[in-house]
Amino acid sequence: MVTQHLSSALPVPAVSAAYPMANPGYGKRSAPGQLPRTRNDFALLTTRERYVAGFVDHLPEGAAMSVKQLAKQLPLYGQQAISTALNALSVAGHLRRVRCTVGTGDETRWAFRTFWSRTARDNEWWNTFLATENAAQATAPAAAPQAPAPNSAPPPPWVPDEEPPPAQPEDTSPAGQAPEPTAVPHQRTTPQAPAAEPTQPAGLSPAYLALARLGRDDHRLALSADDCTTLEPLAAHWLDRGVTIDYLTNTLKAGLPTQVDSPVGLLRRRLIDKLPPRLPATPSTPADAPAPARRILVECTDCGRPGQPEALPHGLCQPCHQTHTTPGDTTPDPTEIAAVKAHMANLRDLLKPV
């Protein structure tokens, strides 16, 4: 005997075997702690949302969740209807669209994911779940490309597992006699001379050498050995404040007059007046410092605006939330109906010929 199915809900469409999958790291993600599937799932939703929710619930992990791809697989509704249904499912607590950073260093990018829960969840549950995901990603070590272990990969099928040893020449010596060792002539190696290192006068500081080179760069700043010794403490004070040799020499040579009568007096005045400020030491970042914490941002299901989970209740930003959650009063007021009728009657009277 055939029993007629009187349910008004549309049957869940079968998932195509060729349903497109998102790129690795993108697409659908199932939330934990969901109840088993039953016939009463999504019973409180409207027919269209129930139809879309049943299809999304049967999609595999990593399936593409864009409105365009869903509309291609659901023949009853277009992209606008699918987008509206996803907004309703977000308000009902079944999904959240997020974006998170993946990669390390300069190779970071945004990955867009859709967390799905067959069991409806409230905002507090989603906020806690996303905060846990954010903390887990922040503490998880970055996946580094693993180098293949030496001699671990099997050889290709056309190469033998182990190369046969080279064939030994047949022993032509009489039995019982050991083969004579082959004499190898001694090779003489010529000792290589060590690489010549740049010579630097012993006992001279970098400040002294910087002052001594000023005369070679500009003849107006030629200094004697006694002048360099006199100005050395002032130049060393500059280097102690973290400036480089190039910065020191460029500052001393900038804007020189056409004729310099006393180079030592001019340089002493500049070394005192143009002394750079002392900057605080910048702590260097150690090589093993942990990478900055990865962030998970929730996207508005309707417009895609990113934000913190607490700032997007029901997965919608404030303008979209007001649009989708504020019920519109579609029943006109009786006084408005009477006013419209009176206005139309007045227009008809004006159109009558005199």
Side-chain angles (χ1 to χ4, degrees), residues 290-306:
R294 303 179 183 180
R295 298 181 59 188
I296 291 183
L297 298 178
V298 179
E299 278 191 346
C300 177
T301 310
D302 189 8
C303 66
R305 181 181 301 175

Side-chain angles (χ1 to χ4, degrees), residues 42-234:
F42 319 114
L44 301 179
L45 301 177
T46 61
T47 302
R48 180 178 58 186
E49 283 82 20
R50 199 182 320 160
Y51 179 75
V52 176
F55 179 78
V56 173
D57 188 48
H58 287 78
L59 289 178
E61 290 291 305
M65 285 291 295
S66 65
V67 174
K68 190 173 184 179
Q69 292 295 342
L70 291 175
K72 288 182 179 180
Q73 301 294 326
L74 300 176
L76 297 183
Y77 302 104
Q79 296 186 20
Q80 186 63 36
I82 296 297
S83 177
T84 305
L86 293 178
N87 295 337
L89 293 176
S90 179
V91 174
H94 291 287
L95 68 87
R96 288 292 186 273
R97 291 191 183 273
V98 303
R99 62 171 67 176
C100 58
T101 55
V102 295
T104 56
D106 297 334
E107 298 182 357
T108 58
R109 66 184 187 278
W110 287 108
F112 301 89
R113 300 170 181 172
T114 301
F115 286 101
W116 171 261
S117 174
R118 185 185 314 110
T119 305
R121 308 291 188 178
D122 55 8
N123 291 323
E124 289 74 13
W125 188 94
W126 280 113
N127 295 342
T128 305
F129 168 70
L130 294 176
T132 305
E133 286 288 317
N134 194 11
Q137 290 196 13
T139 56
Q146 299 179 357
N151 302 330
S152 61
W158 60 85
V159 178
D161 293 345
E162 183 177 358
E163 295 184 0
Q168 298 292 339
E170 297 181 0
D171 189 6
T172 58
S173 59
Q177 295 183 4
E180 296 181 359
T182 304
V184 179
H186 178 69
Q187 298 179 358
R188 297 182 179 180
T189 57
T190 304
Q192 298 180 356
E197 298 180 357
T199 59
Q200 180 177 349
L204 299 181
S205 65
Y208 183 94
L209 297 176
L211 294 172
R213 294 192 183 98
L214 289 176
R216 298 185 181 182
D217 297 340
D218 195 324
H219 66 279
R220 292 172 293 180
L221 298 180
L223 300 174
S224 64
D226 293 340
D227 295 339
C228 293
T229 304
T230 303
L231 299 177
E232 181 182 2
L234 297 176

Side-chain angles (χ1 to χ4, degrees), residues 239-318:
L239 300 181
D240 292 342
R241 296 202 170 192
V243 301
T244 60
I245 298 294
D246 294 338
Y247 180 87
L248 171 63
T249 55
N250 292 333
T251 305
L252 296 178
K253 293 185 298 182
L256 292 177
T258 306
Q259 182 178 357
V260 179
D261 297 330
S262 176
V264 61
L266 175 66
L267 293 178
R268 180 187 296 108
R269 189 74 266 165
R270 289 195 170 190
L271 288 173
I272 295 175
D273 293 345
K274 295 187 176 184
L275 182 66
R278 187 183 301 276
L279 298 178
T282 304
S284 59
T285 304
D288 56 349
R294 303 179 183 180
R295 298 181 59 188
I296 291 183
L297 298 178
V298 179
E299 278 191 346
C300 177
T301 310
D302 189 8
C303 66
R305 181 181 301 175
Q308 296 297 330
E310 297 79 7
L312 280 80
H314 302 102
L316 299 174
C317 62
Q318 185 175 1

